[in-house]
Amino acid sequence: MGGAGTNLTMEGNSKYITAGVLTKPDAQGTYTLGPVTTIEFSNSNNATIQDIRLGLSAENPIAYNHIIISGNNVGNTSLASTPITMQVGSTFKVLPGARFRHKNANGFSGASNTCLTNAPAIALAPNSTIEYNRDNGTNQNISIQQPYQHLVLSGSGNKTAPAGVLAIEGNLSNSGTANFV
């Protein structure tokens, strides 16, 4: 299922679970997602990331409602800091054992230019991981939010801690040439 002519319409309390690698869902046409619909990203292929489809263009983003991350290699790999557009009143959940990776220079959440827009309710389950993995040598800001469970800093450049308390209930890990500042 997918391609340039494929649209995705979800209504009611429908849920779409997508696995696999590269950009998902496969549909490359228009997305019409109702206010209580859910898309779950479940890639667990350690070698290749499952990238969340952002839209047809920056001017025509997909407006997701509820997103669940259940795979351990899912993310937003846009170096342009293009956000995942969330509908107002939406949720973003990372389940136990799941990992969400992002390259957004402005942080994970909390502003219109961060990885997640429109301030979704965020639920980070115990043993979930958020990874800041910008890798082009430029800096990446770490967002304050409810406590991170596990926080991974990878790639390159500075990963800048926010002013105030950065709460991590699990592990803080650093890899690559990333600097925690």
Side-chain angles (χ1 to χ4, degrees):
M1 177 177 114
T6 305
N7 299 324
L8 179 61
T9 299
M10 295 175 64
E11 298 174 343
N13 196 24
S14 59
K15 182 177 184 180
Y16 178 64
I17 301 173
T18 179
V21 298
L22 304 176
T23 305
K24 299 294 179 188
D26 289 323
Q28 296 175 29
T30 302
Y31 280 60
T32 306
L33 306 177
V36 292
T37 60
T38 301
I39 297 184
E40 180 175 340
F41 296 87
S42 63
N43 177 46
S44 290
N45 179 316
N46 289 325
T48 307
I49 195 166
Q50 180 181 44
D51 194 25
I52 295 176
R53 184 170 302 284
L54 302 177
L56 298 174
S57 65
E59 297 77 32
N60 192 12
I62 296 168
Y64 290 98
N65 192 30
H66 301 299
I67 289 180
I68 296 173
I69 307 298
S70 60
N72 65 11
N73 199 0
V74 178
N76 174 357
T77 63
S78 171
L79 280 174
S81 292
T82 303
I84 297 170
T85 302
M86 305 294 293
Q87 296 178 29
V88 174
S90 60
T91 60
F92 186 89
K93 296 179 182 179
V94 184
L95 299 182
R99 178 184 297 234
F100 178 76
R101 300 171 173 191
H102 78 91
K103 296 181 184 288
N104 191 297
N106 303 304
F108 176 54
S109 65
S112 63
N113 63 350
T114 56
C115 181
L116 303 174
T117 64
N118 295 327
I122 297 172
L124 303 178
N127 201 33
S128 66
T129 302
I130 300 297
E131 181 174 345
Y132 286 75
N133 72 337
R134 192 168 183 89
D135 59 1
N136 67 344
T138 59
N139 299 336
Q140 190 172 20
N141 294 320
I142 300 171
S143 300
I144 285 185
Q145 59 184 55
Q146 77 268 6
Y148 291 95
Q149 299 302 308
H150 299 300
L151 180 61
V152 175
L153 309 177
S154 66
S156 60
N158 292 335
K159 311 301 180 189
T160 305
V165 176
L166 177 61
I168 304 167
E169 294 183 349
N171 297 321
L172 170 64
S173 304
N174 190 27
S175 66
T177 60
N179 299 309
F180 183 48
V181 295

